[in-house]
DNA sequence: GCCTTCCTGTGATGGCCGTCACTTCCCGGT
DNA sequence: ACCGGGAAGTGACGGCCATCACAGGAAGGC
């Protein structure tokens, strides 16, 4: 049995506006579930409709093609929720969810979730905002897939993943750097293409790898170089 | 000046559950606007936040890449709404909207829209469902772009556009068939690729074109053939 | 320590399809 | 009927990148 202290929804951002008693009540309605790394939490196409909350840990929202290729939609961490789609429209799950680490989940039956929406406008509004941001990021991704070449998508993702170093100006870091296969699945390409894209930059010194860290030595120069590359590659001359 | 009779929101699906008086009140808060074919209703990146309702006509939700390539997200007709994203999160418009035909629009300021959401749970729930279905179709599109080759995407789109003939079993029709460029922009490829994809099927007699109509003579056989094609193309042997 | 397993880098190959370039077709206007 | 503009079909060409293959590296278990 888990320690009772862990089983609370205080950290879930959807419930930020709720008072103590309402939250306690919800905690009572949840089922609790622990998942190990690599374990599948939810499977695309299944008929369940609960909404899930990540109390602790991280999960990946993904999908697999018939040929086994993996497409990643998002990575969610503690405090975030998923599974609202099925609860709202009653359709089968649109994607699969896989735990990345040891993860503690709370799951709320869809009926309870829908009741909550009726009673708590604040929660409803948060849900609206979450859905909105999903639509927006999906649209951006579609745009990228439609108009940006694979190699460039890799660079774009690298920039999205990086966080600025607190000390050195212009230095950005990705840590820990996930396996290249994971980056590949986020921008819909292959591990090899990601490796080649990064490899192309190591000689310039603008990109440097040390263990599980990737350093962008000077973000401004890096982006500059990217623009130059794009200009070369984009121009299609016919002799 | 427009005939007053046209200026009503009775046909807007978002407002189906509203009583007469509430609807009338909204009609008073709306601005009305008429757009001709090809006219831009909303531009990506602009800061406006009204929500728009299509009283009459059709619009395309699209985006343009720097190189001028057009990516279509959806086509909306009378009774449907758009522009909720900006109203909900206050961010700039995520896409542009272009009128396809002569179109009559009602636009409601975001503050009025947000008030409405507070007061009318029914409307809120409809919005939730709309957003949900946007997320779902976006996810499907991402999956298709990531794992399905351009030619196959064309066939998939053809099947989605077709409606069954009432008389002949197995006969499906697309009418009116839009310009191939438009189909291309929906599946993120080029006019030429669409033409070639269709052209490949004309000799077999399974696909037939007459003026602005495209006939799928036998949908079952057509899908069968598709599966066969896919199997051939997908297998990559290295001898 | 050693062995297993996963991750990484890189070469070779070939197919898909985006781009250009033209011709032909269709349709609406006058 | 004529003309003009957009749409459709089709050939040629070549770049990008997915796929296969294999070698070296890092990490963890016992």
């Amino acid at each position: 049995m888990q320690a009772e202290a862990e089983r609370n929804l205080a950290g879930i951002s959807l419930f930020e506006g709720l008072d103590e008693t309402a939250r306690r009540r919800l905690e009572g309605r949840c089922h609790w579930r622990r998942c190990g790394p690599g374990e599948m939490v939810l499977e695309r196409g299944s008929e369940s409709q609960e909404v899930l909350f990540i109390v602790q840990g991280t999960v990946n929202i993904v999908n697999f093609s018939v040929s086994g290729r993996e497409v990643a939609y998002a990575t969610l961490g503690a405090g975030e929720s998923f599974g609202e789609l099925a609860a709202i429209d009653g359709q089968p799950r649109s994607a699969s969810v896989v735990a990345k680490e040891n993860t503690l989940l709370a799951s709320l039956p869809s009926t309870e979730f829908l009741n909550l929406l009726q009673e708590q406008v604040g929660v409803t509004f948060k849900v609206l905002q979450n859905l909105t941001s999903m639509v927006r990021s999906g649209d951006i991704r579609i745009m990228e897939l439609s108009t940006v070449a694979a190699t460039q998508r890799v660079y774009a993702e690298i920039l999205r993943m990086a966080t600025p170093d607190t000390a050195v100006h212009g230095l950005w870091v990705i840590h820990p750097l996930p396996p290249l296969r994971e980056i590949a699945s986020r921008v819909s390409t292959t591990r090899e293409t990601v490796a080649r894209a990064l490899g192309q930059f190591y000689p310039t010194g603008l990109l440097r790898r040390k263990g599980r860290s990737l350093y962008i030595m000077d973000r401004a120069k890096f982006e500059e170089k990217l623009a130059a590359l794009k200009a070369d590659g984009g121009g299609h001359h016919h002799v």
Side-chain angles (χ1 to χ4, degrees), chain A:
Chain A
M1 217 200 244
Q2 300 302 328
E4 203 60 20
E6 287 182 341
R7 301 200 163 188
N8 84 80
L9 298 174
I12 307 301
S13 66
L14 254 198
F15 302 142
E16 255 167 23
L18 290 189
D19 54 39
E20 186 86 6
T21 57
R23 223 179 51 219
R24 285 256 181 279
R25 208 172 62 91
L26 281 176
E27 284 167 3
R29 307 295 167 104
C30 279
H31 291 140
W32 300 79
R33 177 172 171 195
R34 200 168 264 284
C35 289
E39 194 173 332
M40 182 158 298
V41 180
L42 225 59
E43 189 169 356
R44 181 193 149 91
S46 61
E47 300 278 355
S48 64
Q49 300 178 357
E50 332 91 60
V51 180
L52 293 102
F53 310 104
I54 307 174
V55 175
Q56 197 184 87
T58 322
V59 303
N60 273 335
I61 318 286
V62 298
N63 251 328
F64 300 92
S65 76
V66 277
S67 60
R69 187 198 275 280
E70 177 180 328
V71 178
Y73 292 113
T75 300
L76 303 181
E80 302 189 275
S81 356
F82 58 94
E84 326 84 320
L85 300 195
I88 290 170
D89 66 9
Q91 298 288 114
R93 298 296 186 187
S94 64
S96 300
V97 179
V98 179
K100 276 185 78 169
E101 354 168 342
N102 204 329
T103 298
L104 178 62
L105 297 162
S107 86
L108 186 69
S110 67
T111 55
E112 296 284 346
F113 177 71
L114 294 174
N115 281 344
L116 179 66
L117 293 187
Q118 299 262 343
E119 290 158 19
Q120 299 280 350
V121 219
V123 175
T124 307
F125 201 71
K126 285 230 169 78
V127 173
L128 280 172
Q129 289 185 318
N130 284 347
L131 290 176
T132 297
S133 98
M134 286 188 227
V135 174
R136 285 192 119 103
S137 63
D139 283 2
I140 290 175
R141 176 120 175 233
I142 289 171
M143 199 63 190
E144 245 190 50
L145 285 171
S146 304
T147 65
V148 182
T151 308
Q152 294 290 326
R153 295 202 303 271
V154 172
Y155 298 136
E157 181 67 19
I158 291 300
L159 288 175
R160 278 191 289 263
M161 293 172 71
T163 53
D165 184 274
T166 49
V168 185
H169 177 72
L171 175 63
W172 289 58
V173 195
I174 303 178
H175 183 89
L177 183 69
L180 301 195
R181 180 195 332 112
E182 194 176 313
I183 299 177
S185 80
R186 290 196 209 170
V187 294
S188 301
T189 181
T190 59
R191 175 188 76 71
E192 291 93 330
T193 297
V194 176
R196 278 187 252 263
L198 299 185
Q200 202 164 18
F201 264 97
Y202 292 148
T204 73
L206 281 175
L207 221 54
R208 198 162 299 180
R209 180 162 184 185
K210 275 186 188 144
R212 293 243 67 84
S213 296
L214 186 74
Y215 298 94
I216 302 173
M217 306 308 289
D218 183 335
R219 180 164 175 141
K221 278 208 186 112
F222 184 73
E223 290 183 359
E224 201 178 305
K225 202 105 185 178
L226 284 189
L229 271 185
K230 191 180 289 187
D232 277 1
H236 250 284
H237 294 295
H238 212 249
V239 175

